[in-house]
Amino acid sequence: MRRALAALAAAAVLAGAAVAAQPGTGPWRPTRGAEIKPNVPYNGEFTFVRLRYGPPIAFQSQRYPWSHDYPFGEQHFMQIINEVTNLKPRIMDTQVMALDDPELPKYPVAYMSEPGYWTMSDGEASAFRAYLQKGGFVIFDDFAENRGGWDFFERAFQQVIPGARWVELDGSHPIFHAFFEIPDPLG
């Protein structure tokens, strides 16, 4: 009986290792068609906010680039934040919010995926401008270089903050040496 249980346990471990070694598996695999969950009630805990541009959708879709890697991208990022800070973020709960969502100012950090496809109304631009002017921080991620993603993003951002200009920082800038030492950030 012991040998049978040991063999069964060994087979389970080997099967699990084989599955985990496959590309695109595990808790942080790319997603296709994941259900967009309803937002969780605000309770003051640090919660990942993904910015939505375009219409609300029920499922993650390549057709809507803002939903790229939902929900595993944010869960993975919050796990990292949990491990390197004392923030104690919500790891499995996320928010998806429009740029003009009246709840957005409750969340100091937001994230936008694929901003090279970003479009917005004048009202969304105005509300997003107010969010940024009050100290909101946004992480823009995943530019499609071969499709002019950065140029399109710059034009869209001009709608939010007319006259804004981007300044490229080299590796000697203090931001790369403030919290973690990043000796060669551009290398």
Side-chain angles (χ1 to χ4, degrees):
M1 181 69 154
R2 259 196 228 171
R3 283 186 184 174
L5 287 174
L8 183 59
V13 168
L14 289 174
V19 169
Q22 299 301 311
T25 62
W28 318 123
R29 66 191 176 275
T31 56
R32 298 272 193 287
E35 180 184 1
I36 305 292
K37 303 273 190 223
N39 287 344
V40 294
Y42 176 78
N43 69 359
E45 288 180 279
F46 188 86
T47 306
F48 189 97
V49 172
R50 179 182 289 259
L51 294 173
R52 173 182 58 77
Y53 49 93
I57 57 175
F59 297 94
Q60 183 274 342
S61 169
Q62 289 181 313
R63 186 171 176 213
Y64 297 96
W66 64 262
S67 70
H68 179 80
D69 280 343
Y70 173 91
F72 295 120
E74 41 262 73
Q75 291 168 352
H76 188 212
F77 185 62
M78 289 296 94
Q79 180 65 42
I80 292 167
I81 294 295
N82 190 50
E83 291 175 11
V84 300
T85 71
N86 290 323
L87 200 53
K88 305 290 186 246
R90 286 179 160 176
I91 294 173
M92 301 307 287
D93 296 325
T94 65
Q95 308 288 61
V96 174
M97 297 183 154
L99 299 166
D100 59 353
D101 190 311
E103 296 288 305
L104 182 59
K106 293 179 179 179
Y107 302 91
V109 179
Y111 167 86
M112 182 184 288
S113 182
E114 303 278 358
Y117 297 96
W118 178 21
T119 60
M120 73 200 115
S121 68
D122 289 339
E124 289 170 320
S126 177
F128 191 46
R129 178 183 318 112
Y131 171 76
L132 294 173
Q133 289 173 333
K134 288 184 177 183
F137 182 86
V138 181
I139 300 166
F140 294 100
D141 179 38
D142 211 358
F143 291 87
E145 287 296 322
N146 59 344
R147 289 176 250 142
W150 181 263
D151 294 337
F152 193 85
F153 166 71
E154 276 191 293
R155 285 191 298 276
F157 202 81
Q158 287 293 315
Q159 190 178 350
V160 176
I161 302 181
R165 65 183 186 87
W166 297 99
V167 177
E168 189 169 342
L169 305 178
D170 67 22
S172 67
H173 193 278
I175 195 74
F176 297 115
H177 311 282
F179 185 68
F180 291 110
E181 180 61 29
I182 305 174
D184 187 17
L186 307 175

